[in-house]
Amino acid sequence: MRFAKNRLRTAAATATAVALGAAGLAALPATASAATAGLNVQYRTSATGASADQAEPWIKVKNTGDSSVQLSGVKVRYYFKADSASATYRFACSWAVKGCANVTGTFGTLTSPTATADRYLEIGFTSGAGSLAAGTDTGDMQLRFYQSSWQPLNQSDDYSFGAAQTSYGSWSKITAQLAGTTLWGTAPAGNEPTDPPTDPPTDPPTGGATLFDDFNYSGYSDPRISANGWNVRSNSGGPGVPGATWAPENVTFATTGGNSIMNLETSTAGTAATTEQTEVLTKATKFKNGTYASRVKFSDAPRSGPDGDRLVQTFFTINDLTAPMADNYAEYDFEYLPNGGWGEPANILYTTSWETYNPDPWQAVNQHTESRQSFSGWHDLVFTIDGSSIKYYIDGQLFGTHDAAYLPERPMSINFNQWLIDLAGQTSTTARSYDQQVDYVLHIKDQVLTPAQVATKVNAYRSAGTTFQDTVPSS
């Protein structure tokens, strides 16, 4: 979470075009029977060259079953071969009958790479896309994706690409799922789209060094905060508005719904001198592979005063950059921008996995997934790091999978902060304040838990009356 990232976002945002929504999270409705469900994917492309600035998979999804289907339960995957191991991609929707704001696009990595596919673009729908009656289709969805660097794409070795497909027709090299069941298409060998797994075990594995904190404290000066390994930041510096204060007194604690809640308040009256940001982080950098989880409440509107500031609300892990482009740097972020920023005009959520960067001249190596819609409210955030990938989950659903090239080489700290990118989003000198709330944090060393297993683990701590535990050894 470094100030230098602002420059990356600004540069990348100039290449980002049309908005997309968040991943559809609804399950198969009770009115849709798996026995009678059916989907068909029609595909065409307007970028027919083997080499192109961007891929343009235009798609229609048809309900071939005999009952209505909620589009929020549909996932469509287009498979392709990355142009290099470090290549990152961006998705855009140019036009859609259902509305681009209701169409989502995230990128994932295949577990069994083939000669024609090691990545996929997963297309989903928000609840705003509505339903498909039997026999109807979504209508035209003019979609595209491109390298973040805007280097040309080689489409000739992409599994789902069809150079001759210049008008819509059924295309079995694109798969479609309904509530986790594949109803159309054939994935590259060994890569049936079953992630998250079907019926994962709900009991978490036993053992494993653990950090759990329910944030049950009386205030920022409670001596147990430091004793439990946390630092409430007061020192100056980035990220955020130059000259702003990091104000520990603006970190407060309260009980809501029977749970203790940590609140991070960030406030400003439109000047650096009046800007107060907040951050809470572990003093130890001892966390590496395993599962990280937190329940966080993002806010779109200020608690008081005029709205519009370019705010960043976060949950992340990080270690220090020992030298420009050092390959032992690591950072893994959930970042929510309720009012946009970094070139984005409105709310957007990023998950980003960092390999390294050079602050001057700016150069960055990372991979990210984004979703453009409101995430105001409480969300269960989980990310897992094992020996092969980094996976991010939101409210129990897979949000993004990032490549092994971005795995950490050294342990990290765990952090929450809320800060302002700049003061240009809202120029008023009227005081305003924003809240980000945190319910708990959990880390299980060297074990990958599903979101359901995380919930079981947290519930067990609370049932036992455990508000804090840290058995993670120092690195």
Side-chain angles (χ1 to χ4, degrees):
M1 178 64 54
R2 295 183 178 272
F3 179 73
K5 292 171 66 176
N6 294 6
R7 296 171 57 187
L8 171 70
R9 301 293 194 211
T10 302
T14 60
T16 304
V18 184
L20 68 155
L25 303 181
L28 176 66
T31 56
S33 168
T36 59
L39 295 173
N40 168 275
V41 177
Q42 295 187 335
Y43 158 80
R44 61 157 293 191
T45 182
S46 61
T48 59
S51 177
D53 288 338
Q54 57 188 359
E56 297 186 26
W58 294 12
I59 289 171
K60 294 180 182 179
V61 180
K62 184 176 182 179
N63 179 4
T64 58
D66 58 13
S67 58
S68 180
V69 170
Q70 289 294 324
L71 278 171
S72 58
V74 173
K75 300 291 185 184
V76 176
R77 286 188 178 181
Y78 179 98
Y79 303 89
F80 64 98
K81 182 79 170 179
D83 294 276
S84 70
S86 62
T88 60
Y89 295 86
R90 291 183 176 273
F91 167 80
C93 171
S94 297
W95 188 81
V97 172
K98 290 290 184 179
C100 280
N102 296 316
V103 180
T104 72
T106 57
F107 295 97
T109 302
L110 293 181
T111 56
S112 301
T114 70
T116 59
D118 56 13
R119 307 275 186 97
Y120 60 85
L121 166 65
E122 183 170 272
I123 300 152
F125 301 88
T126 70
S127 58
S131 61
L132 277 184
T136 66
D137 63 47
T138 59
D140 204 18
M141 292 189 291
Q142 298 180 10
L143 313 177
R144 55 194 175 91
F145 67 91
Y146 50 91
Q147 287 201 68
S148 300
S149 62
W150 278 105
Q151 295 298 308
L153 300 177
N154 176 20
Q155 298 193 98
S156 63
D157 59 356
D158 289 351
Y159 177 85
S160 296
F161 175 63
Q165 199 72 9
T166 56
S167 59
Y168 278 113
S170 296
W171 197 248
S172 63
K173 289 188 174 183
I174 297 175
T175 59
Q177 290 178 280
L178 179 60
T181 300
T182 302
L183 299 180
W184 174 263
T186 302
N191 292 284
E192 281 304 306
T194 57
D195 193 11
T198 302
D199 299 326
T202 56
D203 292 334
T206 58
T210 302
L211 168 69
F212 173 74
D213 201 330
D214 212 18
F215 295 115
N216 188 8
Y217 301 109
S218 60
Y220 77 96
S221 60
D222 188 328
R224 293 177 300 151
I225 295 178
S226 180
N228 289 346
W230 295 100
N231 176 39
V232 183
R233 182 176 175 179
S234 60
N235 59 295
S236 61
V241 175
T245 300
W246 293 89
E249 66 274 14
N250 290 346
V251 177
T252 57
F253 300 86
T255 299
T256 302
N259 291 329
S260 53
I261 302 297
M262 177 171 68
N263 188 79
L264 284 73
E265 176 189 327
T266 291
S267 60
T268 187
T271 66
T274 61
T275 300
E276 296 183 348
Q277 305 175 142
T278 44
E279 181 167 22
V280 176
L281 65 155
T282 60
K283 292 186 283 187
T285 53
K286 61 178 184 177
F287 307 98
K288 192 180 177 188
N289 287 6
T291 300
Y292 297 82
S294 185
R295 183 164 173 81
V296 177
K297 186 178 183 181
F298 297 128
S299 300
D300 279 354
R303 185 177 65 198
S304 61
D307 196 3
D309 289 291
R310 295 169 180 166
L311 194 69
V312 185
Q313 301 171 343
T314 75
F315 166 43
F316 66 103
T317 62
I318 193 172
N319 59 33
D320 61 314
L321 183 72
T322 57
M325 299 302 289
D327 61 6
N328 62 357
Y329 176 73
E331 181 180 350
Y332 306 96
D333 303 328
F334 283 96
E335 295 174 305
Y336 181 53
L337 282 60
N339 292 316
W342 295 323
E344 293 289 337
N347 34 31
I348 184 168
L349 185 138
Y350 291 101
T351 59
T352 309
S353 301
W354 285 77
E355 171 60 16
T356 190
Y357 70 95
N358 183 7
D360 190 18
W362 178 249
Q363 185 179 357
V365 181
N366 66 22
Q367 185 175 359
H368 77 273
T369 304
E370 76 254 4
S371 197
R372 296 177 176 86
Q373 77 156 38
S374 172
F375 280 85
S376 182
W378 284 106
H379 295 283
D380 295 309
L381 309 179
V382 176
F383 67 94
T384 62
I385 304 174
D386 59 18
S388 62
S389 66
I390 306 101
K391 295 190 176 187
Y392 296 87
Y393 298 83
I394 298 179
D395 297 330
Q397 299 295 312
L398 183 67
F399 183 79
T401 300
H402 295 173
D403 300 341
Y406 305 94
L407 293 173
E409 290 83 9
R410 293 185 298 137
M412 303 166 286
S413 62
I414 297 174
N415 302 249
F416 299 90
N417 65 14
Q418 183 179 217
W419 50 281
L420 294 174
I421 295 172
D422 54 38
L423 297 172
Q426 171 56 265
T427 59
S428 170
T429 56
T430 300
R432 58 268 190 190
S433 62
Y434 299 83
D435 290 333
Q436 174 188 339
Q437 296 183 336
V438 182
D439 186 3
Y440 71 85
V441 67
L442 174 71
H443 170 67
I444 311 293
K445 177 180 170 65
D446 295 331
Q447 291 184 358
V448 172
L449 274 63
T450 66
Q453 291 172 331
V454 166
T456 299
K457 192 83 170 177
V458 172
N459 289 338
Y461 277 121
R462 287 178 166 168
S463 296
T466 302
T467 60
F468 176 81
Q469 181 184 76
D470 186 3
T471 60
V472 180
S474 299
S475 58

